[in-house]
Amino acid sequence: MKRICALLFVSMLMLSCSSKSGAGTPKENPGAENQVVQVGIGIGQQAPELVFESPDGETIALSSLRGKMVLIDFWAAWCGPCRAENPNLVKTYRKFKEKEFTGGSGFTVYGISLDRRKEDWVGAIQKDGLEWKNHVSDLKGWQSVAAAMYHVQMIPMNFLIDGNGIIVGKYLRGESLDVMLTGLLK
């Protein structure tokens, strides 16, 4: 019961803070004239901001990756399907990391771990050879603030955003991610 109350409190606090910062309200898309973009988790919406710590304690904001195509990837070391997908994701990262897209320059991954133990999370990053630098977690497992914000109910789960932070794809695994990125190339 205490966990549920704490999660509700954090969620309400985040909603309160996000409404003060303009999240959830229409925003201008810097790349489009007179187009208003709603913050949300649907295709065509502005991806909600995420700011979490890396294994080294560095704070990494999703918005710091603006200008690139970014896959927001929810996963965990204990998740068999996630670990099975990681080799595909590494291959895709290597193939597209320096490509030019209509909506961004380069491709990277913002990996959000739903682990609770840092050593499990870091061990999986190393063992699976996850080369990108943007690994984050609040180490709260399914009570992760990021998972709540993005309504994640299963993993692996992901969202592809363009260089302006607009969601252009969801649920992309294996070949479907490659096909989507290929279709967005300049």
Side-chain angles (χ1 to χ4, degrees), residues 2-182:
K2 287 182 183 179
R3 283 186 182 172
I4 293 171
C5 290
L7 183 58
L8 285 173
F9 175 75
V10 169
S11 298
M12 289 173 42
L13 181 62
M14 289 187 65
L15 285 173
S16 171
C17 292
S18 66
S19 66
K20 291 176 186 169
S21 68
T25 59
K27 284 190 171 183
E28 283 294 318
N29 179 352
E33 290 184 52
N34 300 325
Q35 183 181 359
V36 176
V37 179
Q38 190 76 14
V39 174
I41 60 166
I43 304 289
Q45 292 184 313
Q46 181 81 38
E49 175 69 295
L50 297 167
V51 182
F52 293 97
E53 287 189 5
S54 73
D56 299 328
E58 175 190 357
T59 299
I60 304 173
L62 178 60
S63 59
S64 71
L65 304 174
R66 284 282 165 90
K68 293 181 180 265
M69 296 294 290
V70 178
L71 187 72
I72 303 168
D73 182 45
F74 289 89
W75 73 290
W78 49 262
C79 169
C82 301
R83 301 294 295 278
E85 181 64 18
N86 280 343
N88 296 325
L89 194 49
V90 170
K91 185 174 118 186
T92 299
Y93 171 74
R94 289 176 179 166
K95 180 177 178 180
F96 291 100
K97 68 182 178 178
E98 296 180 11
K99 300 288 186 185
E100 291 294 321
F101 298 92
T102 55
S105 181
F107 168 74
T108 194
V109 179
Y110 188 85
I112 303 168
S113 170
L114 298 188
D115 283 296
R116 288 190 172 273
R117 292 173 19 109
K118 183 177 179 180
E119 52 275 7
D120 295 341
W121 171 36
V122 172
I125 291 169
Q126 292 170 349
K127 185 172 183 179
D128 293 358
L130 306 182
E131 303 170 14
W132 46 92
K133 295 185 271 186
N134 312 302
H135 297 283
V136 297
S137 182
D138 57 11
L139 295 174
K140 293 181 180 177
W142 282 110
Q143 283 70 48
S144 165
V145 173
M149 288 175 65
Y150 278 74
H151 303 271
V152 173
Q153 297 178 357
M154 63 178 189
I155 53 175
M157 173 64 179
N158 61 47
F159 298 81
L160 181 64
I161 62 173
D162 70 11
N164 293 315
I166 305 300
I167 298 172
V168 296
K170 296 169 40 168
Y171 315 110
L172 300 166
R173 294 173 65 180
E175 187 67 25
S176 65
L177 177 58
D178 275 23
V179 168
M180 177 68 127
L181 289 171
T182 299

